[in-house]
Structures are given as structure tokens and as C-alpha cells.
Amino acid sequence: GIDHRASTLSTGYKAAATEEGEVKPATVTDSQMAAKRAALNVMNDPWWNCDYGDKAKATYLCDDRDKISNTVCKNYAVARVKLYSHVKGTVTEKVWEWCLIYCGICLIFFVAYRMDVDNSSCDLWPGDGKQQYAWYDDADSSTWKYEETNENSTEVKGPSDIKCRPGWFNEQFASVSHVYSEAARLGELVLTLFVGLAYARYQKYYWNARKIQGGINNLALIVGTMIDTTNKTPESVELQRAFERYLTLLKILTYMNVSPLIKEKLKLPDLEKRIMGIKQLVTPEELAILQYTVDPNSNATPEGGCPLPGSAGNGPMNTVLVWLQMTFDRMLEEKVTCGHMSEARITSYCIQFQDHLMTLRGSMATFVFLTQFPTPLAYAHMLQMLVDFICFACPFAILFQIDTIVVKKAGFIEHQPWATLPLTLAGVFFTTFFFQGLLSLAKSLNSPFGEKVDEKTGMLKDQDFMLNVKQVIKQTRMGQYTLLNASVGAPAICQPDAVAKS
């Protein structure tokens, strides 16, 4: 596991004092460098290769091809060719089936409509080259009448092109087209608003994750700066190890509480195993306390334990926060920290530590509060109904609208009946794509950590849309590790006199 480096690293990086009192940089041999790297666990057993527990090895941890990434969202280049090359991480993979379903409905309806069209009553009356209109006599529908038009005539006699279509088509789908147009106008507005609200929620999750990362790293920075590297007693080393364990445990418990992926892969008993490079993240005693906090009826009841009603959710997290503060106090008492500092400096560090710890507690609780306050069910339900209605009416309305425009411009007899089919299907496809796509995007952004784990893959469903909790945890661990241990190999000029001369 990751041990405290103060007791294991030599002082090869520090300045060496000669007998004459001249200070020269120490020469670090290859064997010394290898020993340092082995002590730091950087070469042979890097913690960032991850071990979240035995249960997670097959599906969660050993898939770390990305190692430590600089992003927790899907990265891409903002170029047309690059954007069109993506399918994963876009709404295409979520809505293409719906697009094909509604295009199929449109195709069936288009064929049914064309098979029912009868243009025998709309033939033009054969004339002598003048524009003529034919119509049926009211009394005898088998008798043709016609009237020649002149330049001053504004009245059109005979059946219009629109009226030549089947009566049921005009009567039923004119109203469908009108309602569709009004609903689509409303849908554009409310869907845009919903996506905006969902993205704002997505940003809150992201920045709160970064705030927790900053809080943990700030605590590591304070303690890493205060560490007295000359105090190498077993109790000092043990307290430093405990502080590092508790910092790691805090972020693990935070995401176990809000991330379905971490919750699925890690349970409280798994914390006793090797996790994030620490051989034993919790001791049996600590595990018993955490389990009792969650379930007072558990068999592992710690000595003197008292029930904490309502603590099943945040209880373990808040318990470790208390442990962290108590460990820091003991480090001060045992002179593990601040052995080389003035009282004013110690007081300043203690105030900062307390402030950062309280801010961290608030940020960790914010995740739970956000989870408990989703988008109102009534709002999401209404939007789902509206989008489903728009997409269902879309094939009929678009067919009616396109056919009406073409018949008016080209004439009922003159236009090619099947020529509008490709454009009609394309219109249905893209209309469905954008309405269903916007709703699907809003749903994904509304749950930044995902909602459920795919049983087949062991990973989050739609994980390309989600914040990558793995990377957040890794990046936090990387910063925490560096800040806690950077003082060990610091240059001599940065070290207190007692350390630099040793």
C-alpha cells in the first residue's frame, strides 16, 4: 500500500554538508533512485492503475486504458468532419430507432393515401388551346360543362386542385396539420427551456465535484506543509497513514452515495480491501463502526456504539469527517505537524484547516441535496407527452403539408404523385430526430452521474453522456498524493534547518 514516505525515503535529494562546512548537492546513485521509486510505488505498483476492490476488477477497474485523463467528459474536436464521425456520445444512438419507426408509419400512410386517390373527376376538359376548367353539373354528374375564361375573369370554375384529393384526407388531416403546427411551436420553446435547465444542473454537479476535489486537496496541502519529517516515531507514521486513508475514504464514500456506478461496484465490506493504492482503506474496527452507522441491527456492533437515526445515507461520510478532524488534532498533540513552526503559523493553519473542512462537508452534502431534488415529475411527464404527440402527428401532418404545397403549385393532375415521398420521409426523420433528441439529451443531462448500470457490460448506460466519476476520483487522488508527500523530496533550501542539515 501507500505508506508515508518520511520514514522510508533517504535524504538523497537534500544537500550534503562536507567536513569543511561547505554545502554541496548530494549525488544520487542509480540504486538510490531505484530505492526511492520503489518506496514511492511509482514504477512497480502505480496506484492510478486502480484497484476499487476484488468485485470490481473484471468490469470496472481493469478497463483503465485512459489512465489519468485531463477530462471527465467526452473530448472532441469542433470540426464538421470530426462531429459527423461521432455516433457514441450523440443523440443518434438514442433516437434512431424512433426515427425509423415514424418514417415507417409515414411510408405506410403515404402508400395508403396514393392508392385511394381517384382523379377521374378532375380531368381537364379538352379544348382548343384556351385555358378551360371542367366541373360536374349539380343535377347530372355525368354531364360535362365548361366555361372559357378571359383576361378579365377572376373566377375559377370547376373543382379546385385541393378538392380533387379524397374527402377524408382534406377533412381529417387539415385539422391534424394545424394542431401539429401549434404543438410543435410550443414544443420548441419548452424543450429548449428544459435542455437549458438540465445543462445548468449538469454544470452544478461538475463544479461541485471539482469543489470537493479542491477541498480534499486543500486539506492535503495544509497537512503536507505542516508535516515534521524529523518525527519518525511509529505513532507519527501511523497517524500520517490514517490521515491519508481518511482523505481517500471521504471521496470514495461521497461517490458511493451519489454515483450508481460506484454504488454498484463498491459496498462497505469492500473498503477493507486494497483500494486506490492503499492496501487496507479501513481497518476491521473502522468498518464495524461504519456498518453500524448504516445498520444499527448489524451483527458487527462496535463497543459503546449508539444508534444514529437517519444516518444510513450521509452517516458514514459525516463519521469520517469527524475522524479526520480528530486525527488532525492528534497530529498536533503528538508533534507530527508544526514541530518547526511558530505558534502564530500553527494557529493560522488550524483556522484554515477548519474552514476548508466545513466547506468540504457542505460540498459533499450538496451532492445528496441535488439528488433529492430532481426535475419535478409533473414537468417531465408533460414534456414527454407533448413530444410523443408531436412525433406521432408528424408523419400525417408533414405528408399533408408537403402534398398541399405541391398540388397548389404544380396542379393535382400535373404533379408526380410519388415524387414527394423522399422529401416527406426526410422531413419526418429530422423532425423526429430533433424533438426526440432534445428530450433524450435533457434526460441525460438531468442525471450527470447516470441512473443505472448495464448488467451485460457492468458499466453505466449512456456513459458517454455522463460525468466520468472514475477520472474525478483519480485526479483527486493524484493531487492529494502529491500534496501530502511533496515535502519529503523537497530541495534543501525549502527544508527547515534541522532537516536540511541531517
Side-chain angles (χ1 to χ4, degrees), residues 75 99 140 175 205 245 252 336 409:
N75 207 358
C99 293
D140 185 1
S175 57
Y205 271 79
R245 284 194 299 109
I252 294 293
V336 178
K409 298 296 183 181

Side-chain angles (χ1 to χ4, degrees), residues 217-498:
N217 288 344
N218 285 338
L219 296 179
L221 173 61
I222 292 172
V223 174
T225 307
M226 296 172 68
I227 289 293
D228 183 1
T229 55
T230 61
N231 186 349
K232 301 179 181 179
T233 63
E235 189 171 16
S236 171
V237 173
E238 186 61 30
L239 283 171
Q240 292 174 55
R241 288 174 178 172
F243 188 86
E244 187 170 7
R245 284 194 299 109
Y246 291 158
L247 275 182
T248 304
L249 182 59
L250 263 182
K251 62 176 173 286
I252 294 293
L253 289 174
T254 299
Y255 290 106
M256 282 176 65
N257 220 15
V258 296
S259 169
L261 182 61
I262 305 298
K263 191 182 300 184
E264 173 70 19
K265 301 302 180 183
L266 284 177
K267 307 299 180 186
L268 278 179
D270 296 323
L271 300 180
E272 200 175 0
K273 302 172 184 176
R274 177 182 173 83
I275 296 178
M276 293 300 289
I278 297 181
K279 186 175 182 180
Q280 190 178 34
L281 189 57
V282 295
T283 64
E285 178 189 14
E286 293 164 349
L287 179 61
I289 295 172
L290 293 177
Q291 288 179 321
Y292 184 73
T293 303
V294 174
D295 181 15
N297 298 320
S298 62
N299 296 327
T301 303
E303 183 179 354
C306 60
L308 302 174
S311 63
N314 292 347
M317 190 170 66
N318 291 334
T319 299
V320 177
L321 279 170
V322 175
W323 294 351
L324 194 68
Q325 178 66 67
M326 294 173 68
T327 304
F328 180 76
D329 293 341
R330 276 211 62 198
M331 292 171 75
L332 290 173
E333 182 182 349
E334 300 295 334
K335 306 299 182 183
V336 178
T337 56
C338 302
H340 53 287
M341 293 183 177
S342 65
E343 286 190 15
R345 188 65 171 165
I346 294 173
T347 302
S348 172
Y349 273 131
C350 290
I351 294 173
Q352 291 181 50
F353 184 90
Q354 193 70 38
D355 289 343
H356 286 304
L357 189 66
M358 294 174 66
T359 302
L360 176 61
R361 187 212 61 79
S363 301
M364 293 163 70
T366 298
F367 266 147
V368 181
F369 299 153
L370 286 171
T371 305
Q372 293 174 350
F373 186 63
T375 301
L377 171 63
Y379 184 56
H381 180 259
M382 288 170 56
L383 281 176
Q384 185 68 65
M385 290 185 64
L386 178 62
V387 170
D388 287 344
F389 171 78
I390 292 171
C391 292
F392 182 76
C394 171
F396 309 102
I398 289 183
L399 172 57
F400 178 85
Q401 292 172 359
I402 291 178
D403 190 76
T404 299
I405 293 172
V406 171
V407 166
K408 282 184 177 180
K409 298 296 183 181
F412 183 77
I413 302 300
E414 290 83 357
H415 88 284
Q416 296 294 325
W418 298 92
T420 58
L421 179 59
L423 181 60
T424 302
L425 293 178
V428 172
F429 183 92
F430 284 104
T431 301
T432 305
F433 179 86
F434 283 104
F435 276 103
Q436 291 286 355
L438 283 174
L439 183 60
S440 297
L441 178 60
K443 289 179 180 178
S444 298
L445 295 178
N446 199 51
S447 300
F449 291 154
E451 292 183 346
K452 59 190 304 185
V453 175
D454 191 336
E455 295 180 358
K456 296 181 179 178
T457 62
M459 302 303 293
L460 278 176
K461 289 188 175 180
D462 303 324
Q463 62 177 335
D464 292 306
F465 293 85
M466 309 306 167
L467 294 176
N468 192 336
V469 177
K470 267 197 314 186
Q471 292 299 343
V472 175
I473 294 176
K474 288 181 189 178
Q475 291 172 13
T476 308
R477 179 73 174 104
M478 178 176 63
Q480 167 201 326
Y481 176 87
T482 302
L483 293 168
L484 280 174
N485 297 284
S487 62
V488 176
I493 195 171
C494 302
Q495 301 280 7
D497 291 340

